[in-house]
Amino acid sequence: MQCYTELTPPTAVTHSLSLPFLSSQSRNLVVAKTSLLQIFSLKTVCEHVDSSATNAEHSTKESDMYDPRVSNGDDAFESSFLAADTALLRAEHARTTKLILVAEYPLSGTVISMVRVKTLEAKSGGEVILLAFKDAKLSLVEWDPHRHGLSTISIHYFEQEDLGGSPWAPKLGDCVNYLAVDPASRCAALKFGVRNLAILPFRQSDDDTAMDDWDEELDGPRPAGRTSSAAVNGTSKHGTTNSPYSSSFVLRFSSLDPSLVHPIHLAFLYEYREPTFGILSSAVGPSSSLLRERKDRVSYMAFTLDLDQRASTTILAVTGLPYDLFSVVALSPPVGGVLLVGCNELIHIDQSGKAIGVAVNSFAKQCTAFGLADQANLEIRLEDCTVQQLEDTADMLVILNNGKLCILSFRMDGRSVSGLGLRLVGEDVGGSILPTRASTVTSLSASSIFVGSEEADSVVLGWTKKSKQMNRRQSQTETRAADEVDDYNMIGDMEDDDDDLYGEAPSRLELPGTALKLDSSNSKPGDYFFRVHHELPNIAPLRDIAFSKPYELSTRDQSVAEVLTGDLQLIAASGRDRSGALVVIKRMVEPSVVGRFEFPEAQGVWTLTARKPVAKAIQPDKSTATVNGDEELGVQFDRLMIVSQTTENSTEESAVYALTSAGFEALTGTEFEPAAGATIEAGTLGKGMRIIQVLKAEVRSYDGDLGLAQILPMFDEETGAEPKIVSASIADPFLLLVRDDASIFVVRCDDDSELEEITREDDILLATKWLSACLYTDTTGVFTGIQSDKGYRDGENVFMFLLSAGGALYIYALPDLTKPVYKAEGICFIPSTIAPEYVSRRSAARETLTEIVVADLGDSISKHPYLILRAASDDLTIYEPFRVPSDDTAVPMSKTLHFQKVNNPYLAKNPEVSAGETTDTGKGEYDSPMRIVADIAGLSTVFLPGSSPSFIFKSSTTAPKLLGLRGAGVRGLSGFHTEGCDRGFIYVDMNGIARVSQLPSETNLTELGMPFRRIKIGEDVNAIAYHAPMDCYVFTTSRIEEFELPKDDDYHREWQKEDILLKPLIERGCVKMISPINWSIIDTIELEPCEVALCTKTLLLEVSEETHERKPLITIGTAITRGEDLAVRGCVRVYDIVTVVPEPGRPETSKKLKLIAKEEIPRGAITAISEIGTQGFMLVAQGQKCMVRGLKEDGSLLPVAFMDMNTYVTSVKELPGTGLCILADALKGIWLAGYLEEPYKMILLGKQTQNMEVVTADVLPHGKELYIVVADAECNIHILQYDPEHPKSLQGHLLLHRTTFALGGHLPLTMNLLPRTKATTVLPASSEAMDIAAEETIPEYEILMTLTTGALALLSPLPEAQYRRLNTITNHLSNSLYRACGLNPKAYRVNPRAPEAVIGGRPIVDGTILMRWMELGSQKRSEIARGMGIDVEQVRDDLEALRSGVAYL
């Protein structure tokens, strides 16, 4: 059988939600990416804004200046919102909202909707989230601060058969299901099925108490039972635990009103004392083709729910609405009512049923007789648009399906709406800042919203009110008026206003004459200035991929290229509209080499930024020197480099070098002594005034000019022993040493830059054997606590982390060594959570740990400390520290500090030291310790040297991810920041080559776990192909054009008089060629009008009938669609790439496309093409036929064989060189055919037994068996087998349906058969291991799939024994791992529509769960492995083999 593994997570954002989730005062953003849930917090920073930049390219950079109005909290906009329109013009720095990832959870379900609910009690004090999943499931979750994660309150199912309706009703998965919630959180409604509405009530306090408007003078004494109905910690005063919800019930739409036959959309309304929702419906199905009979048949009705009686009351009904309305948007005060969104109009209905609308194009008058204000001159299409009310304003933002922005304004007559006004936002103020449509919009704060997209980057979009009449500086009169408004507002907030029944009264007092002046800009065009604050990268959808050799192989020096590039790289077509792009994806980090040097004797390297000493006569005051020194140190380049090296006669020594712009040179004439021995660690102390060199026997201190200042020997006066130093850690002003006798030595640098030992007063420090230790400077307050505005004094925030030989973690707050501030046992068992109260069971299943590191990971926006444990096999375990909240502020850190394991599926390759060998040594010595690099291209990272060189990267919006460094093993690495190498690094590999490098430019290293670079195209990229001989890429694009009727048609002379403004849109294709030299377009060929390319391949075709010469040619299949009443035509184009004279200054333009063959097909589009046979022919799917064609010398394509198909061929694949091919039909499923060359003939070998809408398919050979992998339109993978010897196959005429695997919402778009590489085993070389390797050979092929959500997945065939092992492990993990939202991972992978025999058959192994194997502790992993009769190393081998199948990328 097979195993399905996701190589990269989904990137397309489908849903979003803003709410106080982590606490009652926080502001969080929750994002759903199909089956991935991410929780973000908001941070406001100051950025430099280039006022001259356009909306497409905003030049911003982060600033370190402190603005007291800007906090690290959520909003912080209240201080100067009235003057926001002049703040952008007056200052160069603007407030910018950034996203910081708090947690992410893979879900065993597909999210279809999310709403926020405020309950009486929540563990975090904030609100909870109600998520709706496919097939009518609801999950209510909250944030648990004690476990720093999601906690599932309840899960609800509404998928029973008795709720499905009639037998001919569509299935739940085929219906549009969504979730709506009452604004007061009294209930939520799930619309599922065709006409079902599930109501989930929530317990709330009494209305008057909740609204805080109980007046004892008017209402009398407050009832005793109603004083407070809130519960504390989930328990009421009477000691009973109350659930936040009541029992749910289901309503049929017909029970609400018999006319609700075809519900369209519904939403809950504001300002009602009882839950009230408005629903848009029609008695007959709306249809544009039957517009004359079904014109204006849509109605809007409002119903009030009685949750106790489970009944409803109709309070409002408006009929005769346009047929094309599709959405109901509830409006909050002061506007109120609802906004109905249609394709051609916008209609507002208030609480009294008064309807006012506006037509946005010329088609509105033809579609409806409803009275609408005329704004047809806008000619706007509202299909697939999203609408979001701007917070603290009455305006609404409308995002069109092409990404254009519009502002909808309401003209108010008192408290009622008298008119609507829609205007486009100009491009100069950000109207075209979004490249394509949005999938979700959520308001974040008073001046920012989150715009999620499935086809482009999701962005945090901020706006500023920009008035044309405002000068660059406010006059003193305007400033004084604004101050008076703030004073009046402050008084108004303190007073108790008598609000009316619905609470519509303004909450702020306004000075007479000032309100109109401040708000008048809202009605003028250009009053909003939009810019992007932050982005979430997205590469979805991945329409097509191609594999190519990296360009560096043919341009750089051969020896360097073999190290720095892989064998192949993946190029994918992604995006839509203006976000269309090519994405270059690689498996490992391939650095840009600035300098390369032969350095065979180098073993370790350290670069230093040291300040030169200043003479005492001219030395300034210490306080002044400290501040200026810090500033100078922040901008100073690295000056020196210390190298630990081994000579030819195995003598260890050290050398010092002076750094140049892109290299280094030997430094002489200093007091640095190379013969002192090998360097263990090097760094600076005393604010850069002292250079510290740690040797095995002593510690040396130098000044900035390498003048020897002090020698600190390792000599124990009591015992006379001279222990050797094995590792060291530096954190100014402390130095920590670990010696070979398992003892530690702590040194402090005093104010005079002298090193002195800190006395180890705690007996634990003297009696315990220490395995590893490190120092960490806490700048985030995770370990220190609350940080003051002035920060910390020197040394107050430095902590010492110790790992004992017994597997315990100790933390000391330096310089206090009297007692530890934290202690946790059982670290050697690597549990999922490290807590002080953790008690491990007695077990021998310990992980052999060799090193511990605590370091900050992140970027310039956010950094967070992480605890990293290194095992003997070089596998890393990453923990995130968090503090458990406590009501008692005096609770020490030893009770509140916990560490939570972060999922890390990355496994090291080819470890130098096996687990058994490391255990035998009994020492914690390790030649290549992990290296903390504070700044590499703006990222704070940790590097793992050795045979598996890897970086740990993290950005503010991602979790930590390990990425391997391309090339051989690495001995040592250090940062390298010079004028010629900005924030780079230098490393020495196992071959003795030193490279000064930088991270690849324009490459994202943190989002996918695989580096990728995006090349912007600006159009839909449909397909891509790579031409190996000319080393270039050919891809086809399409753009939208207006369709015009032909003016020269003699049968339709009236077409010449067509004068409509809003013309139909149609696609037009284009063929482009791009060069990998600089990723520029070097050739473009426009296709005919209405012609679009559907498939593009590089085929090895026969070009000569005499010599039978073959040549790789670009073959493109197109479709020409001119309307519904004309037949679709197709065309096959064959291009060759030839060499021409390049353009001046552009040597890459020496290649052009040359058309050598063109065959027009009168009936049917060319939907798929493939190579076939061994003679260089092509297989073309044209209309309802599949035809084998050969290229003739005269440029024609001669058909030699054909096969009649059913409806529409979606995919054609051949098993290379065999003539066996599969033909995928859009309705009838899969056919397996064979092609014979003598005579030319196509034979049907087998077909699928059931009809299926196939999206893509491919063959998967496994030994002597042939499998067919099929992806249908319902996001399922089906495994079919061609087995003529099986009795149920009727001698092969029927394809056997082996199993079905559900992908949820991940729809495969392409499948590619790839060769599979073998992973190197980590098992010891024994006769038994050799027998196992001989019996269980890794299959030769696997399938790489691209998904609509931006994820990459791998389907790998497994041998029988390996399949049983991994399937058993998956079952254990499904029961052992935490299930986010309470979902069942097994049920998630089962297709309920599959045949019963298939459901009960052998399933595909879920590699998504399997890759979470490392989340278990060593004890649990050992128990599972022991239960299967194998060891943990065997499981590790199996997991590494799955991920290393595409090691050539």
Side-chain angles (χ1 to χ4, degrees):
M1 297 303 291
Q2 297 80 22
C3 178
Y4 173 85
T5 307
E6 288 186 3
L7 298 179
T8 61
T11 60
V13 174
T14 56
H15 301 84
S16 62
L17 184 65
S18 176
L19 77 163
F21 190 56
L22 302 184
S23 66
S24 58
Q25 303 298 325
S26 65
R27 195 69 181 263
N28 302 107
L29 174 69
V30 181
V31 168
K33 298 178 178 179
T34 308
S35 61
L36 180 66
L37 192 68
Q38 294 181 323
I39 303 171
F40 296 92
S41 62
L42 306 183
K43 179 181 180 180
T44 304
V45 299
C46 277
E47 277 191 349
H48 176 77
V49 178
D50 187 2
S51 58
S52 62
T54 61
N55 61 341
E57 300 290 341
H58 289 281
S59 175
T60 59
K61 64 178 181 179
E62 199 166 333
S63 174
D64 295 330
M65 67 174 296
Y66 174 73
D67 188 349
R69 297 174 299 176
V70 178
S71 66
N72 292 337
D74 302 311
D75 296 334
F77 290 103
E78 293 82 5
S79 60
S80 60
F81 181 74
L82 292 176
D85 49 357
T86 59
L88 183 63
L89 299 177
R90 185 173 61 252
E92 295 182 353
H93 291 80
R95 287 168 299 204
T96 304
T97 302
K98 300 293 184 180
L99 301 179
I100 301 176
L101 181 68
V102 177
E104 64 179 9
Y105 299 91
L107 303 177
S108 298
T110 303
V111 178
I112 61 173
S113 187
M114 292 191 306
V115 295
R116 53 186 287 186
V117 178
K118 185 173 181 59
T119 58
L120 290 178
E121 61 265 352
K123 294 180 180 180
S124 64
E127 299 183 6
V128 300
I129 304 175
L130 184 64
L131 297 99
F133 297 94
K134 195 176 180 180
D135 293 341
K137 294 185 181 68
L138 295 181
S139 182
L140 187 65
V141 298
E142 64 180 344
W143 182 260
D144 188 356
H146 294 278
R147 57 180 301 270
H148 194 66
L150 281 182
S151 177
T152 305
I153 301 175
S154 62
I155 186 167
H156 310 265
Y157 296 86
F158 300 97
E159 51 185 356
Q160 295 87 351
E161 294 182 359
D162 56 344
L163 299 177
S166 58
W168 55 84
K171 302 294 183 181
L172 285 177
D174 297 334
C175 300
V176 179
N177 305 330
Y178 53 88
L179 189 63
V181 68
D182 177 53
S185 298
R186 290 166 290 195
C187 70
L190 172 66
K191 187 267 175 185
F192 68 99
V194 181
R195 301 176 185 88
N196 296 324
L197 190 66
I199 306 297
L200 180 62
F202 295 101
R203 303 183 189 275
Q204 299 293 343
S205 58
D206 295 332
D207 293 339
D208 290 338
T209 305
M211 296 174 63
D212 224 7
D213 60 355
W214 187 279
D215 193 340
E216 294 187 358
E217 297 181 359
L218 299 177
D219 302 329
R222 185 189 297 269
R226 300 175 63 180
T227 54
S228 177
S229 61
V232 180
N233 294 331
T235 305
S236 63
K237 291 185 176 181
H238 302 285
T240 60
T241 302
N242 297 325
S243 62
Y245 57 89
S246 303
S247 60
S248 61
F249 56 94
V250 177
L251 296 176
R252 304 279 186 178
F253 280 115
S254 58
S255 64
L256 300 178
D257 191 280
S259 63
L260 298 180
V261 180
H262 297 277
I264 300 174
H265 194 247
L266 66 87
F268 279 90
L269 308 181
Y270 290 87
E271 305 176 286
Y272 285 93
R273 285 193 173 272
E274 297 294 337
T276 304
F277 64 90
I279 183 171
L280 203 61
S281 66
S282 175
V284 294
S287 174
S288 58
S289 60
L290 301 176
L291 185 58
R292 293 183 180 180
E293 290 78 12
R294 300 183 181 183
K295 188 176 183 180
D296 296 341
R297 301 290 294 273
V298 175
S299 62
Y300 167 79
M301 305 179 71
F303 297 90
T304 296
L305 290 177
D306 188 342
L307 300 179
D308 296 331
Q309 301 297 327
R310 299 186 176 183
S312 63
T313 304
T314 305
I315 62 173
L316 183 65
V318 179
T319 59
L321 297 175
Y323 85 101
D324 57 351
L325 295 175
F326 61 87
S327 179
V328 179
V329 181
L331 303 180
S332 61
V335 178
V338 296
L339 179 70
L340 307 181
V341 183
C343 298
N344 307 305
E345 65 281 324
L346 296 169
I347 299 176
H348 176 268
I349 300 178
D350 60 13
Q351 294 179 349
S352 63
K354 177 185 176 183
I356 296 178
V358 57
V360 299
N361 56 48
S362 56
F363 280 103
K365 294 182 179 180
Q366 304 177 23
C367 297
T368 180
F370 191 84
L372 300 172
D374 188 11
Q375 278 193 294
N377 59 329
L378 294 175
E379 299 296 351
I380 293 176
R381 295 176 171 89
L382 296 180
E383 292 89 347
D384 298 328
C385 73
T386 54
V387 182
Q388 176 63 41
Q389 188 170 2
L390 300 180
E391 194 169 320
D392 293 343
T393 68
D395 295 340
M396 303 196 73
L397 178 66
V398 181
I399 304 177
L400 305 180
N401 61 355
N402 58 2
K404 300 288 185 179
L405 303 183
C406 301
I407 298 296
L408 176 64
S409 302
F410 298 90
R411 291 190 294 272
M412 305 297 295
D413 186 6
R415 297 177 58 181
S416 63
V417 177
S418 60
L420 307 178
L422 187 68
R423 63 182 182 274
L424 286 168
V425 179
E427 294 187 1
D428 56 334
V429 291
S432 301
I433 203 169
L434 300 178
T436 185
R437 62 190 175 194
S439 60
T440 175
V441 182
T442 302
S443 177
L444 297 180
S445 63
S447 62
S448 63
I449 60 174
F450 175 78
V451 181
S453 176
E454 298 184 59
E455 299 163 332
D457 291 346
S458 300
V459 299
V460 176
L461 192 62
W463 72 85
T464 307
K465 291 184 178 180
K466 182 180 180 182
S467 175
K468 294 183 178 181
Q469 297 179 357
M470 288 289 184
N471 295 327
R472 192 173 185 85
R473 295 182 178 180
Q474 277 187 319
S475 63
Q476 296 182 356
T477 305
E478 292 172 335
T479 305
R480 191 180 302 110
D483 294 338
E484 292 176 357
V485 171
D486 291 339
D487 295 338
Y488 269 80
N489 289 335
M490 185 180 300
I491 298 173
D493 290 340
M494 297 173 61
E495 294 179 351
D496 294 332
D497 298 331
D498 294 331
D499 297 340
D500 60 351
L501 181 62
Y502 296 98
E504 292 184 351
S507 60
R508 290 183 177 270
L509 297 176
E510 299 175 349
L511 279 177
T514 60
L516 179 62
K517 183 176 182 180
L518 291 175
D519 294 337
S520 61
S521 62
N522 292 345
S523 60
K524 298 179 181 180
D527 56 342
Y528 286 96
F529 177 82
F530 292 91
R531 68 183 182 94
V532 174
H533 286 192
H534 205 182
E535 295 181 351
L536 294 181
N538 176 26
I539 61 173
L542 297 176
R543 304 175 187 271
D544 193 16
I545 61 173
F547 295 90
S548 65
K549 293 183 179 180
Y551 176 73
E552 290 80 4
L553 284 175
S554 58
T555 57
R556 293 184 177 176
D557 181 67
Q558 187 67 18
S559 60
V560 180
E562 289 178 352
V563 177
L564 299 182
T565 59
D567 297 331
L568 293 176
Q569 64 183 5
L570 188 151
I571 312 294
S574 71
R576 177 182 175 269
D577 289 348
R578 287 177 289 140
S579 65
L582 299 179
V583 181
V584 183
I585 303 177
K586 302 182 180 181
R587 196 173 60 92
M588 307 180 75
V589 179
E590 299 179 355
S592 301
V593 178
V594 179
R596 177 181 181 274
F597 310 92
E598 297 288 342
F599 213 159
E601 64 274 11
Q603 301 296 325
V605 58
W606 295 266
T607 57
L608 306 173
T609 303
R611 294 163 51 193
K612 295 184 177 181
V614 182
K616 294 185 178 180
I618 60 175
Q619 185 175 3
D621 183 68
K622 286 187 177 181
S623 61
T624 306
T626 299
V627 175
N628 295 338
D630 287 341
E631 294 178 356
E632 180 184 358
L633 190 61
V635 299
Q636 190 174 358
F637 294 126
D638 294 336
R639 295 178 46 242
L640 303 173
M641 182 177 68
I642 296 178
V643 179
S644 177
Q645 54 191 20
T646 303
T647 60
E648 296 180 356
N649 54 2
S650 301
T651 303
E652 295 181 345
E653 61 181 24
S654 299
V656 62
Y657 297 86
L659 299 183
T660 61
S661 60
F664 51 90
E665 56 187 17
L667 186 63
T668 58
T670 66
E671 298 182 5
F672 187 88
E673 185 177 353
T679 301
I680 303 298
E681 182 66 43
T684 59
L685 289 178
K687 301 187 185 305
M689 296 299 296
R690 284 291 182 263
I691 298 176
I692 304 299
Q693 182 192 16
V694 180
L695 305 173
K696 290 185 177 182
E698 62 189 18
V699 176
R700 296 195 171 200
S701 174
Y702 302 90
D703 58 20
D705 289 335
L706 289 178
L708 184 62
Q710 185 180 357
I711 297 179
L712 186 64
M714 292 293 103
F715 177 75
D716 193 340
E717 298 179 356
E718 297 180 358
T719 62
E722 297 182 359
K724 301 297 183 182
I725 302 174
V726 296
S727 65
S729 179
I730 299 175
D732 202 7
F734 299 101
L735 170 64
L736 172 63
L737 306 176
V738 180
R739 299 180 291 191
D740 58 358
D741 59 352
S743 64
I744 64 169
F745 191 85
V746 186
V747 179
R748 179 170 186 171
C749 182
D750 57 17
D751 295 338
D752 295 330
S753 301
E754 296 292 331
L755 301 181
E756 57 182 11
E757 180 186 0
I758 301 179
T759 304
R760 294 166 289 175
E761 301 179 7
D762 192 358
D763 294 338
I764 299 177
L765 295 176
L766 300 175
T768 308
K769 298 295 183 180
W770 303 109
L771 191 65
S772 179
C774 72
L775 298 179
Y776 171 71
T777 303
D778 185 15
T779 58
T780 60
V782 174
F783 304 104
T784 310
I786 301 176
Q787 180 182 359
S788 63
D789 296 337
K790 297 181 181 179
Y792 302 105
R793 290 187 299 178
D794 295 340
E796 285 186 350
N797 57 337
V798 178
F799 290 84
M800 179 174 65
F801 293 79
L802 303 175
L803 178 62
S804 68
L809 174 65
Y810 291 81
I811 303 179
Y812 287 83
L814 297 182
D816 184 11
L817 296 182
T818 58
K819 63 177 182 179
V821 297
Y822 182 83
K823 177 184 177 182
E825 298 286 348
I827 306 301
C828 57
F829 298 105
I830 53 174
S832 57
T833 301
I834 299 176
E837 62 273 9
Y838 174 76
V839 178
S840 60
R841 293 177 295 175
R842 300 185 62 180
S843 173
R846 295 192 176 194
E847 188 75 28
T848 306
L849 301 178
T850 59
E851 190 177 358
I852 180 175
V853 165
V854 178
D856 285 331
L857 299 177
D859 52 14
S860 58
I861 300 174
S862 173
K863 294 182 178 65
H864 195 274
Y866 287 88
L867 170 66
I868 305 172
L869 301 178
R870 183 181 185 180
S873 59
D874 274 355
D875 293 336
L876 299 183
T877 304
I878 305 174
Y879 286 93
E880 179 185 3
F882 68 94
R883 302 290 286 269
V884 175
S886 176
D887 297 333
D888 187 4
T889 57
V891 176
M893 184 180 70
S894 59
K895 302 294 184 181
T896 61
L897 180 61
H898 290 65
F899 294 86
Q900 189 175 54
K901 186 185 293 186
V902 179
N903 182 33
N904 174 31
Y906 183 87
L907 298 176
K909 62 177 182 179
N910 302 328
E912 294 179 337
V913 183
S914 65
E917 293 173 352
T918 306
T919 305
D920 295 338
T921 60
K923 299 180 181 179
E925 181 178 355
Y926 213 88
D927 295 335
S928 302
M930 289 186 287
R931 178 67 56 193
I932 301 173
V933 187
D935 188 0
I936 295 182
L939 297 174
S940 297
T941 179
V942 173
F943 180 75
L944 172 67
S947 58
S948 299
S950 308
F951 286 100
I952 305 178
F953 288 125
K954 181 189 181 302
S955 68
S956 62
T957 59
T958 61
K961 291 182 175 61
L962 263 74
L963 276 76
L965 179 65
R966 180 75 68 184
V970 174
R971 300 173 182 173
L973 179 142
S974 180
F976 195 94
H977 181 47
T978 62
E979 185 177 0
C981 182
D982 182 37
R983 297 182 296 178
F985 59 96
I986 181 173
Y987 69 97
V988 181
D989 64 11
M990 297 296 183
N991 299 325
I993 300 177
R995 292 181 177 86
V996 178
S997 309
Q998 291 177 311
L999 292 180
S1001 60
E1002 301 179 0
T1003 301
N1004 189 301
L1005 302 171
T1006 60
E1007 186 68 23
L1008 298 181
M1010 299 175 68
F1012 72 92
R1013 178 185 179 183
R1014 185 159 42 191
I1015 296 97
K1016 185 177 179 181
I1017 302 300
E1019 296 178 354
D1020 282 357
V1021 182
N1022 301 324
I1024 184 172
Y1026 174 67
H1027 194 271
M1030 302 300 288
D1031 194 15
C1032 58
Y1033 305 89
V1034 177
F1035 60 94
T1036 54
T1037 65
S1038 62
R1039 63 177 183 271
I1040 300 297
E1041 291 183 348
E1042 291 185 347
F1043 178 77
E1044 294 187 0
L1045 295 173
K1047 306 299 183 181
D1048 56 351
D1049 194 324
D1050 296 334
Y1051 296 97
H1052 298 278
R1053 296 294 182 88
E1054 68 277 8
W1055 289 354
Q1056 300 178 2
K1057 302 179 181 180
E1058 182 187 23
D1059 57 351
I1060 60 173
L1061 298 178
L1062 193 64
K1063 297 179 180 180
L1065 300 179
I1066 196 168
E1067 287 185 283
R1068 181 175 183 178
C1070 183
V1071 182
K1072 297 185 178 182
M1073 185 166 57
I1074 192 170
S1075 172
I1077 297 177
N1078 53 8
W1079 298 109
S1080 61
I1081 304 297
I1082 58 178
D1083 194 13
T1084 301
I1085 298 177
E1086 292 281 349
L1087 299 181
E1088 297 180 6
C1090 307
E1091 184 178 11
V1092 180
L1094 301 182
C1095 50
T1096 302
K1097 299 290 182 182
T1098 301
L1099 305 181
L1100 187 62
L1101 301 179
E1102 182 182 282
V1103 295
S1104 176
E1105 300 178 16
E1106 298 179 357
T1107 63
H1108 301 287
E1109 177 189 358
R1110 296 188 185 182
K1111 192 175 184 181
L1113 301 175
I1114 303 296
T1115 307
I1116 301 175
T1118 66
I1120 304 174
T1121 307
R1122 297 185 180 274
E1124 299 177 355
D1125 54 344
L1126 296 179
V1128 177
R1129 297 187 291 111
C1131 182
V1132 180
R1133 299 169 182 261
V1134 181
Y1135 292 93
D1136 190 11
I1137 301 179
V1138 297
T1139 303
V1140 296
V1141 178
E1143 299 177 4
R1146 297 188 63 190
E1148 69 274 7
T1149 59
S1150 60
K1151 307 164 187 176
K1152 291 293 182 181
L1153 290 170
K1154 178 183 178 182
L1155 181 65
I1156 62 174
K1158 179 180 179 182
E1159 186 75 19
E1160 295 186 357
I1161 310 299
R1163 298 183 62 86
I1166 309 300
T1167 58
I1169 53 177
S1170 174
E1171 292 183 9
I1172 190 71
T1174 60
Q1175 297 179 345
F1177 290 173
M1178 71 173 72
L1179 178 61
V1180 181
Q1182 52 185 67
Q1184 293 179 315
K1185 291 182 182 294
C1186 280
M1187 193 168 293
V1188 179
R1189 292 178 176 269
L1191 178 62
K1192 297 182 65 176
E1193 296 181 0
D1194 59 356
S1196 61
L1197 297 176
L1198 178 65
V1200 297
F1202 74 96
M1203 176 176 288
D1204 290 324
M1205 300 301 296
N1206 284 307
T1207 54
Y1208 184 93
V1209 179
T1210 59
S1211 179
V1212 171
K1213 296 291 179 66
E1214 185 215 14
L1215 187 61
T1218 63
L1220 291 175
C1221 60
I1222 58 172
L1223 311 173
D1225 193 86
L1227 294 178
K1228 300 298 182 179
I1230 289 291
W1231 287 9
L1232 176 64
Y1235 168 68
L1236 300 179
E1237 296 178 344
E1238 293 183 2
Y1240 296 128
K1241 187 179 182 180
M1242 291 193 70
I1243 303 175
L1244 179 63
L1245 299 179
K1247 62 171 60 177
Q1248 194 172 355
T1249 57
Q1250 59 181 353
N1251 295 335
M1252 182 182 299
E1253 184 179 354
V1254 180
V1255 177
T1256 183
D1258 208 336
V1259 293
L1260 181 61
H1262 177 46
K1264 297 181 180 180
E1265 299 175 343
L1266 179 62
Y1267 293 95
I1268 301 174
V1269 183
V1270 183
D1272 63 11
E1274 297 179 357
C1275 302
N1276 298 315
I1277 293 179
H1278 304 270
I1279 304 298
L1280 309 178
Q1281 183 182 5
Y1282 177 67
D1283 187 3
E1285 299 180 357
H1286 197 282
K1288 292 186 179 181
S1289 67
L1290 301 181
Q1291 298 181 352
H1293 292 290
L1294 299 181
L1295 300 177
L1296 302 177
H1297 196 167
R1298 289 303 187 187
T1299 187
T1300 298
F1301 187 79
L1303 299 181
H1306 304 274
L1307 177 65
L1309 293 180
T1310 64
M1311 291 186 181
N1312 296 269
L1313 184 66
L1314 301 178
R1316 185 176 181 183
T1317 56
K1318 296 184 179 181
T1320 303
T1321 179
V1322 298
L1323 292 176
S1326 62
S1327 58
E1328 181 181 358
M1330 296 177 64
D1331 294 338
I1332 295 175
E1335 294 176 0
E1336 300 181 1
T1337 57
I1338 296 180
E1340 297 181 355
Y1341 296 98
E1342 56 191 356
I1343 290 181
L1344 180 66
M1345 292 182 285
T1346 62
L1347 311 176
T1348 54
T1349 57
L1352 292 173
L1354 204 62
L1355 188 68
S1356 307
L1358 303 175
E1360 182 64 24
Q1362 187 181 18
Y1363 169 78
R1364 292 182 178 181
R1365 288 195 302 267
L1366 297 182
N1367 190 35
T1368 304
I1369 294 174
T1370 304
N1371 294 332
H1372 281 286
L1373 292 177
S1374 300
N1375 300 324
S1376 302
L1377 295 174
Y1378 170 71
R1379 301 180 181 181
C1381 301
L1383 301 173
N1384 187 353
K1386 291 184 179 179
Y1388 174 56
R1389 296 305 187 183
V1390 175
N1391 178 21
R1393 304 187 189 183
E1396 295 182 1
V1398 175
I1399 295 178
R1402 307 180 67 186
I1404 296 177
V1405 177
D1406 190 357
T1408 306
I1409 297 178
L1410 201 59
M1411 290 304 162
R1412 298 177 61 186
W1413 166 259
M1414 299 301 292
E1415 291 186 20
L1416 299 178
S1418 60
Q1419 289 179 324
K1420 188 64 176 178
R1421 294 204 301 260
S1422 178
E1423 291 177 4
I1424 296 175
R1426 189 168 56 251
M1428 295 186 298
I1430 61 175
D1431 52 9
V1432 179
E1433 286 74 15
Q1434 179 64 58
V1435 180
R1436 187 186 184 280
D1437 260 9
D1438 293 339
L1439 297 180
E1440 186 182 358
L1442 290 177
R1443 294 191 63 89
S1444 61
V1446 287
Y1448 41 79
L1449 290 180

